[in-house]
Amino acid sequence: RLLDLLIIDDVQFIAGKSYVQEEFYHTFNSIVQGGGQIILISDRQPREIKELEDRLRSRFSGGLILDIQKPDFELRTAILLIKAEERHIEIDIDAAKEIAEKVTDSRELEGTLLRLLSISLMQSQSNKITVETTRGE
């Protein structure tokens, strides 16, 4: 309870667990009173979490709430280009667009990039991903 920063993912899973909620309530208050920061991640807004105590719902709602959605086509394309550059992979812009069109999950983008890199390395021993690579040609 003497932390400067507490990050909790999937906080919605404490709902319905009275003892956990009680302890978290006191932990939350201690950290905030000590000047610390708390970051809570959930797949739902605080008001949508059933079986969450009202006092916790109130505290969760009292901070900055951001709704983060899946990246759009342009952002997925940019993510691919950045990931490729970080890994020293050459990728055609058209290939990146084709991948971004098909893969909407941001975590899956990097996996797809690596899979296509391995295919390219096996086929042509090149670290370049082209539209032909994305189409399996």
Side-chain angles (χ1 to χ4, degrees), residues 27-136:
T27 300
F28 188 101
N29 288 337
S30 294
I31 291 171
V32 171
Q33 288 170 358
Q37 295 289 315
I38 300 174
I39 298 172
L40 304 174
I41 300 134
S42 175
D43 62 0
R44 290 170 251 180
Q45 299 281 335
R47 68 180 178 278
E48 296 171 349
I49 302 174
K50 294 180 174 143
E51 297 186 58
L52 182 66
E53 293 179 7
D54 287 338
R55 61 186 180 169
L56 285 176
R57 185 181 333 280
S58 171
R59 279 161 180 72
F60 293 178
S61 298
L64 174 65
I65 297 175
L66 300 174
D67 185 11
I68 300 173
Q69 300 295 320
K70 288 187 175 192
D72 63 12
F73 171 77
E74 288 80 16
L75 183 54
R76 291 192 308 271
T77 303
I79 289 169
L80 280 166
L81 294 171
I82 291 166
K83 292 293 183 183
E85 184 177 331
E86 287 174 354
R87 293 180 174 267
H88 307 289
I89 300 169
E90 292 181 53
I91 186 168
D92 292 342
I93 186 71
D94 291 331
K97 287 179 179 179
E98 190 155 322
I99 296 166
E101 182 93 17
K102 295 175 185 173
V103 180
T104 58
D105 181 78
S106 57
R107 291 182 179 160
E108 193 179 335
L109 286 172
E110 191 166 11
T112 301
L113 183 69
L114 295 175
R115 182 178 56 78
L116 291 171
L117 172 63
S118 66
I119 291 169
S120 180
L121 288 170
M122 286 188 297
Q123 289 178 345
S124 63
Q125 298 192 356
S126 168
N127 70 334
K128 183 170 186 165
I129 298 173
T130 63
V131 172
E132 290 77 23
T133 311
T134 65
R135 294 178 183 164

